[in-house]
Amino acid sequence: MRPARRSALGRAILVAGLVFAMLPAISGWERSARAQDQPNLFERRIIEKDAIRAFQQIITLWREELYFELYDEGWADSRARITLEEFAQRMVELPWVPRGELDAKFLESHFRHRTMVYLNVRMRFRHKFDPTKTYTKNYSTLLMKEDGRWRIDLIQIIRAPYS
């Protein structure tokens, strides 16, 4: 029996040695698989440009005071917090709307994930009832991709001229 125990113990040691020897190769494979999940630089640029285009469309809807269409561009979470009617009413009462196109010189995007892009932009606002009143402010927002579309927080839009 003693030789059988030695061979079983030897086989167990051999298997353990092989597992430890292969561990770096296995973990390296996992790391390369995770690296492939992250988009490369060119994919990031495409994602950021897509988010910027969506944001420009959102600003156009806001500027043209198309609040029912703008509501559809909100995150599911923010649509759950405010109804379409409440959103439209608050936007109608808001005295400020964006003025003109966004200045590309002051538009920055910060990629966080395939479905999350932060945008920093300098926005110009005009008063709805007195077009001579205008002001400019820096505005930061998060766009998230839901259901294949870039969406924005509706509550943040309501607060934008004041925050």
Side-chain angles (χ1 to χ4, degrees), residues 103-117:
D103 189 350
K105 184 169 57 171
F106 298 105
L107 181 61
E108 296 178 359
S109 59
H110 300 281
F111 176 88
R112 290 291 184 249
H113 191 270
R114 287 184 187 273
T115 59
M116 291 176 65
V117 174

Side-chain angles (χ1 to χ4, degrees), residues 10-26:
R11 276 184 265 163
I13 292 172
L14 180 63
V15 169
L18 285 173
V19 168
F20 284 119
M22 292 186 66
L23 197 57
I26 292 170

Side-chain angles (χ1 to χ4, degrees), residues 21-151:
M22 292 186 66
L23 197 57
I26 292 170
S27 65
W29 175 78
E30 288 176 2
R31 265 182 277 162
S32 68
R34 276 186 265 132
Q36 291 174 352
D37 290 342
Q38 295 298 320
N40 62 35
L41 178 64
F42 300 107
E43 290 173 321
R44 287 180 181 193
R45 287 182 181 164
I46 290 169
I47 290 168
E48 287 176 346
K49 285 181 183 179
D50 190 34
I52 289 170
R53 255 191 313 268
F55 182 70
Q56 289 171 330
Q57 179 62 31
I58 289 168
I59 296 302
T60 299
L61 291 173
W62 186 5
R63 184 176 51 245
E64 294 175 2
E65 300 182 43
L66 299 171
Y67 301 131
F68 293 113
E69 290 83 357
L70 182 59
Y71 182 82
D72 294 334
E73 302 300 320
W75 300 341
D77 180 55
S78 63
R79 288 192 314 260
R81 290 187 298 170
I82 189 168
T83 67
L84 174 62
E85 293 79 17
E86 291 170 332
F87 176 75
Q89 182 63 38
R90 292 195 50 193
M91 292 301 287
V92 166
E93 293 170 356
L94 198 65
W96 300 97
V97 292
R99 177 179 155 232
E101 296 296 320
L102 298 175
D103 189 350
K105 184 169 57 171
F106 298 105
L107 181 61
E108 296 178 359
S109 59
H110 300 281
F111 176 88
R112 290 291 184 249
H113 191 270
R114 287 184 187 273
T115 59
M116 291 176 65
V117 174
Y118 284 93
L119 294 177
N120 296 321
V121 63
R122 184 173 293 172
M123 290 181 59
R124 293 176 297 186
F125 288 92
R126 71 168 174 80
H127 199 274
K128 286 182 187 177
F129 310 112
D130 185 2
T132 61
K133 292 182 181 178
T134 64
Y135 75 96
T136 303
K137 70 173 282 186
N138 293 331
Y139 179 71
S140 297
T141 189
L142 169 66
L143 292 178
M144 290 196 314
K145 198 166 199 174
E146 292 179 347
D147 301 325
R149 293 173 53 189
W150 289 101
R151 299 184 186 269

